[in-house]
């Protein structure tokens, strides 16, 4: 029926109306040439629309801007990778990463991989949980940290050595990191026309240091030999090449996009690859730095010096107009091949814009490289003459600038990302302009005890981590044995040690976690709960007071009103 619909729609609206994106592996991504309104209103599209809604609800489809799907592709994710998504909400890329780790396994068989998805804001974590819940995965942990201060949960001083002996993680280290940082969001300009009015260069200037700090933290958490993708939906070089240049000045890195097969390069997004082959523009060499000065080059969209001469930042604070920011000179003086950074620009394929840089970690960071980021805010440097002699004021300046950055981030999130957020709340019937509906849906998706208390707004105002129960391993042997015998679960099935809950007194919900998540939880317990875990694993059993709940198996023989939750069925069926 759906093929018939697609055929009919193609006849009526032309071949391009619904087509697979040729650059996405496995024909798994499709482009629809309809606005939301058309999908909702057009009678001919009705059953197709219903199909999309249903498949979105059950997690088979995610609606996403095409260019936003590009960064995870460059991570080359394998089914045993530990992956960190540093700034993950609303979670469209997290969803992609989860799809990738589950792809090579049969349904029910869990990969050895793990995705840790993080966001700074509690409400956005809730949105992230809501959007990733459809995946029904036991291999996800959602955390709530400042990405730039993400904990490493390190047990040993040199945990790479210790790891060899114990086979258990001695600290957090990731094979892959997605660093999709908060940005000024001008890449969304085609779909969010407000951006034309709101955007100013101060937004990017204010975010630059935060972006550097987040990227540096990512690099510190990356395994040697691992890969990190830095991305923004901005075209502003201050948030893009300048960040990569700054980061690369501190470590031993190179960038590549060689993972894309040559025959696919022009198909992917032509603008991504024009500057690397040297055929489309002239190149100039400064020392050993190659800077592409063609109008299609990586710096084509913005004159950096002009950018830094803006008089006021977003908060209306004056910016020093005489001083060129260090990030500008970083781009020009960088010893790294910045032309390999990838830019997707709207006018090349009528899409959003994206910036992508792929970084490989070649050696561990030393202390200076890690420390360096926090004292070199370009604004702070302009204001503080002798930072070393005035540590207090330097700290104050740093904190002030961070606060200002966070204000900016909030504003940017409010404007640019509300759009993405609406899009990610599934299909049209759920995308209302009424924010209260949206918030309600988000809170419904909360998995932690904060939501159970029904008092999330109050907790928003408290310091971020108060009021959320720790994650505890569920060890009640009586209940576990009854579960095993009731469901006929084989002893070989890894159940013990894989069940967790949020509270010993009131273990209402029991979650199932993969081995990879279990290992991280054990580590986190040992290091004194450094990770602020908002949600994890898959809800498998729920003890309920009412026996009339839908969605549960109920049976009088089952112990202590514990009910099996359907989301975990694919895992148990394999046992
Ligand atoms: C560009 S969006 C991420 C989009 C997401 N990767 C996706 O594909 O759906 C940036 C996110 O970073 C979060 N954020 C802002 N500042 C942060 C910080 N300091 N640490 C972690 N997350 C932060 C924002 O709440 C926002 O959700």
């Amino acid at each position: 029926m759906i093929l018939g619909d697609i055929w009919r729609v193609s006849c009526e609206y032309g071949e391009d109306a619904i087509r697979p994106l040729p650059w996405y592996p496995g024909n798994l991504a499709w482009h629809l040439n309809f606005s939301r309104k058309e999908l909702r209103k057009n009678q001919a599209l009705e059953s197709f629309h219903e199909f999309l809604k249903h498949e979105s609800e059950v997690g088979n489809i995610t609606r996403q801007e095409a260019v936003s799907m590009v960064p995870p592709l460059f991570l080359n994710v394998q089914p045993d990778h530990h992956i960190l998504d540093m700034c993950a909400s609303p979670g469209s890329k997290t969803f992609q990463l989860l799809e990738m780790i589950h792809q090579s396994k049969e349904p029910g068989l869990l990969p050895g991989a793990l995705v840790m998805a993080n966001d700074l804001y509690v409400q956005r974590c809730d949105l992230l949980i809501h959007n990733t819940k459809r995946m029904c995965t036991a291999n996800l942990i959602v955390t709530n940290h400042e990405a730039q201060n993400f904990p490493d949960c390190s047990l040993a001083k040199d945990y790479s050595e210790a790891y060899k002996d114990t086979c258990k993680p001695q600290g957090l280290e990731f094979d892959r990191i997605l660093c999709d940082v908060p940005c000024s969001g001008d890449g969304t300009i085609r779909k969010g026309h407000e951006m034309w009015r709101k955007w100013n260069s101060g937004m990017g200037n204010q975010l630059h240091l935060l972006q550097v700090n987040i990227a540096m933290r990512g690099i510190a958490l990356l395994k040697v030999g691992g890969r990190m993708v830095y991305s923004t939906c901005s075209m502003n070089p201050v948030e893009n090449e300048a960040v990569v240049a700054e980061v690369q000045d501190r470590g031993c890195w190179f960038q590549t996009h060689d993972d894309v097969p040559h025959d696919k390069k022009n198909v992917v997004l032509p603008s991504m690859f024009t500057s690397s082959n040297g055929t489309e523009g002239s190149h100039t060499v400064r020392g050993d730095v190659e800077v592409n000065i063609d109008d299609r080059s990586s710096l084509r969209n913005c004159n950096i010096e002009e950018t830094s001469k803006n008089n006021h930042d977003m908060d209306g604070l004056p910016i020093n107009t005489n001083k060129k920011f260090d990030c500008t000179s970083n781009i020009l003086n960088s010893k790294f091949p910045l032309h390999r950074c990838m830019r997707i620009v709207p006018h090349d394929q009528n899409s959003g814009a994206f910036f992508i840089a792929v970084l490989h970690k070649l050696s561990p960071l030393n202390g200076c490289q890690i420390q360096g980021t926090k004292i070199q805010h370009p604004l702070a440097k302009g204001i503080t003459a002798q930072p070393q002699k005035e540590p207090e004021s330097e700290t104050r300046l740093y904190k002030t600038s961070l606060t200002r950055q966070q204000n900016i981030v909030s504003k940017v999130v409010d404007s640019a990302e509300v759009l993405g957020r609406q899009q990610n709340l599934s299909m049209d019937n759920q995308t209302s302009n009424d924010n209260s509906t949206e918030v309600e849906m988000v809170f419904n998706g909360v998995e932690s005890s904060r939501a159970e208390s029904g008092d999330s707004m109050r907790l928003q105002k408290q310091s971020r981590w108060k009021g959320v129960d720790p994650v505890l391993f569920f060890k009640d042997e009586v209940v576990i044995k009854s579960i095993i015998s009731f469901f006929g679960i084989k002893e070989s099935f890894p159940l013990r040690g894989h069940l967790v809950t949020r509270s010993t007194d009131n273990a209402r919900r029991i979650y199932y976690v993969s081995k990879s998540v279990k290992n991280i939880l054990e580590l986190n317990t040992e290091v004194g709960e450094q990770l602020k875990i908002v949600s994890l694993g898959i809800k498998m059993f729920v003890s309920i007071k009412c026996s009339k709940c839908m969605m549960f198996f109920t049976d009088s023989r089952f112990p202590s009103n514990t009910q099996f939750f359907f989301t975990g069925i694919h895992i148990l069926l394999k046992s």
Side-chain angles (χ1 to χ4, degrees):
M1 168 164 149
I2 200 60
L3 284 178
D5 276 353
I6 292 179
W7 183 78
R8 221 178 34 246
V9 170
S10 299
C11 289
E12 193 169 329
Y13 293 90
E15 275 180 7
D16 261 8
I18 306 175
R19 62 183 156 85
L21 294 175
W23 46 267
Y24 202 92
N27 257 4
L28 286 176
W30 288 63
H31 174 84
L32 296 188
N33 227 356
F34 304 111
S35 67
R36 278 157 194 281
K37 204 169 159 195
E38 277 174 316
L39 264 181
R40 257 200 317 256
K41 297 274 157 68
N42 192 323
Q43 291 273 314
L45 298 175
E46 198 177 330
S47 56
F48 182 59
H49 186 209
E50 284 306 314
F51 163 80
L52 291 180
K53 278 196 303 195
H54 177 262
E55 295 300 306
S56 302
E57 272 159 31
V58 298
N60 290 337
I61 288 181
T62 299
R63 186 172 176 149
Q64 196 177 351
E65 159 77 60
V67 281
S68 158
M69 300 192 315
V70 176
L73 295 182
F74 285 100
L75 282 172
N76 190 19
V77 165
Q78 302 298 316
D80 59 342
H81 276 163
H82 281 205
I83 307 156
L84 174 64
D85 189 351
M86 301 187 85
C87 305
S89 187
S92 46
K93 295 187 193 70
T94 312
F95 204 90
Q96 256 182 291
L97 294 170
L98 288 168
E99 271 178 353
M100 288 171 183
I101 65 167
H102 283 284
Q103 216 162 39
S104 57
K105 291 276 169 187
E106 284 177 46
L109 285 187
L110 302 185
L114 158 95
V115 175
M116 201 174 285
N118 175 70
D119 205 275
L120 171 64
Y121 299 103
V122 172
Q123 269 174 304
R124 294 196 50 90
C125 283
D126 294 343
L127 181 62
L128 176 60
I129 294 163
H130 175 84
N131 285 333
T132 49
K133 201 161 76 172
R134 298 173 305 137
M135 177 57 86
C136 294
T137 176
N139 296 52
L140 172 69
I141 300 180
V142 176
T143 59
N144 172 220
H145 287 277
E146 289 177 334
Q148 67 274 29
N149 292 316
F150 200 88
D152 57 17
C153 298
S154 177
L155 279 174
K157 272 196 181 140
D158 180 357
Y159 52 71
S160 54
E161 279 305 306
Y163 185 80
K164 284 178 197 151
D165 298 336
T166 66
C167 288
K168 289 226 164 186
Q170 302 288 297
L172 287 182
E173 266 194 318
F174 296 90
D175 303 280
R176 297 290 184 261
I177 293 187
L178 180 60
C179 191
D180 189 37
V181 293
C183 67
S184 61
D186 52 309
T188 63
I189 216 147
R190 285 205 174 191
K191 53 180 187 182
H193 296 170
E194 273 288 276
M195 189 54 77
W196 284 103
R197 198 176 51 78
K198 281 191 179 162
W199 195 91
N200 66 64
S201 52
M203 292 161 76
N205 294 342
Q206 286 295 297
L207 285 166
H208 172 82
L209 176 70
L210 178 66
Q211 292 160 337
V212 171
N213 282 341
I214 293 176
M216 281 306 293
R217 189 64 196 139
I219 288 162
L221 291 162
L222 191 63
K223 279 183 189 164
V224 172
R227 183 186 294 200
M228 181 169 102
V229 165
Y230 174 86
S231 61
T232 72
C233 58
S234 169
M235 294 173 278
N236 180 2
V238 172
E239 301 172 62
N240 295 332
E241 284 85 356
V243 173
V244 176
E246 178 71 30
V247 161
Q248 293 203 322
D249 272 353
R250 296 160 195 265
C252 311
W253 309 91
F254 66 89
Q255 300 154 262
T256 177
H257 53 247
D258 284 348
D259 295 319
V260 180
H262 278 281
D263 60 333
K264 289 264 194 270
K265 285 193 174 175
N266 284 329
V267 186
V268 178
L269 293 152
S271 58
M272 285 161 62
F273 301 106
T274 48
S275 61
S276 59
N277 59 19
T279 56
E280 298 224 9
S282 56
H283 290 68
T284 185
V285 175
R286 296 168 182 251
D288 52 357
V289 189
E290 199 178 42
V291 180
N292 189 325
I293 55 165
D294 173 52
D295 71 342
R296 294 178 68 87
S297 81
S298 59
L299 305 181
R300 64 184 163 177
N301 294 303
C302 191
N303 180 324
I304 304 159
E305 290 192 38
E306 282 305 312
T307 300
S308 62
K309 280 180 186 163
N310 186 37
N311 286 340
H312 292 89
D313 66 17
M314 247 183 79
D315 287 343
L317 298 171
I319 288 177
N320 186 347
T321 50
N322 299 323
K323 185 175 163 52
K324 199 167 69 171
F325 287 161
D326 279 5
C327 52
T328 309
S329 52
N330 274 349
I331 295 182
L332 299 177
N333 297 327
S334 173
K335 291 189 176 58
F336 296 95
L338 287 172
H339 63 277
R340 288 199 193 166
C341 296
M342 293 166 266
R343 285 179 158 258
I344 304 168
V345 286
H347 48 276
D348 278 350
Q349 58 276 310
N350 190 19
S351 64
F354 242 84
F355 171 88
I356 301 157
V358 186
L359 307 173
H360 288 248
K361 183 165 180 175
L362 299 181
S363 57
L365 294 190
N366 61 41
C368 297
Q369 288 167 319
I370 294 167
Q371 290 299 316
T373 53
K374 298 207 169 180
I375 56 169
Q376 296 197 6
H377 190 308
L379 293 175
K381 268 204 246 172
I383 302 164
T384 323
Q386 292 175 303
Q388 295 90 335
K389 287 184 186 162
E390 296 177 4
E392 282 179 16
S393 66
E394 180 191 288
T395 312
R396 206 172 51 242
L397 270 172
Y398 176 64
K399 281 186 179 158
T400 314
S401 85
L402 268 190
T403 312
R404 284 168 55 196
Q405 284 170 9
Q406 287 181 352
N407 288 339
I408 305 269
V409 172
S410 309
K411 287 177 192 171
V412 173
V413 163
D414 283 350
S415 55
E417 287 173 7
V418 158
L419 195 65
R421 185 175 151 178
Q422 286 173 345
Q423 284 171 346
N424 279 284
L425 275 172
S426 190
M427 302 306 288
D428 294 350
N429 66 330
Q430 293 167 341
T431 51
S432 149
N433 288 333
D434 176 359
N435 280 345
S436 59
T437 320
E438 210 171 277
V439 168
E440 194 182 310
M441 287 175 58
V442 172
F443 288 145
N444 282 344
V446 179
E447 304 264 326
S448 70
S449 57
R450 199 178 48 242
E452 286 171 24
S453 76
D455 203 1
S456 43
M457 287 318 285
R458 183 171 54 80
L459 283 162
Q460 288 283 311
K461 290 181 188 151
Q462 295 180 359
S463 80
R464 261 193 306 279
W465 202 231
K466 280 181 196 159
V468 178
D469 293 331
V471 179
L472 303 162
F473 283 102
F474 184 76
K475 291 181 178 159
D476 188 331
E477 265 303 309
V478 176
V479 176
I480 293 176
K481 275 190 181 147
S482 327
I483 287 173
I484 289 175
S485 77
F486 180 77
F487 286 107
I489 298 171
K490 287 186 197 142
E491 280 299 325
S492 57
F493 180 78
L495 195 68
R496 286 189 177 78
H498 288 252
L499 297 179
V500 299
T501 183
R502 304 294 303 209
S503 148
T504 41
D505 299 339
N506 181 22
R508 267 192 1 98
R509 299 175 182 193
I510 304 170
Y511 299 82
Y512 186 81
V513 296
S514 66
K515 186 164 186 291
S516 49
V517 170
K518 173 179 176 278
N519 286 343
I520 296 298
L521 286 179
E522 284 168 352
L523 171 70
N524 193 38
T525 309
E526 278 193 69
V527 296
E529 309 286 337
Q530 286 179 20
L531 277 179
K532 301 174 185 176
I533 296 173
V534 193
S535 164
L536 78 171
I538 192 164
K539 197 191 297 171
M540 208 170 229
F541 302 101
V542 181
S543 92
I544 51 165
K545 295 198 173 75
C546 153
S547 61
K548 288 187 183 159
C549 278
M550 282 163 63
M551 297 285 290
F552 302 126
F553 287 130
T554 55
D555 193 295
S556 54
R557 291 167 297 162
F558 208 65
S560 59
N561 288 334
T562 306
Q563 311 296 334
F564 176 66
F565 205 78
F566 260 115
T567 48
I569 200 162
H570 64 290
I571 295 175
L572 270 199
L573 284 179
K574 275 281 163 188
S575 75

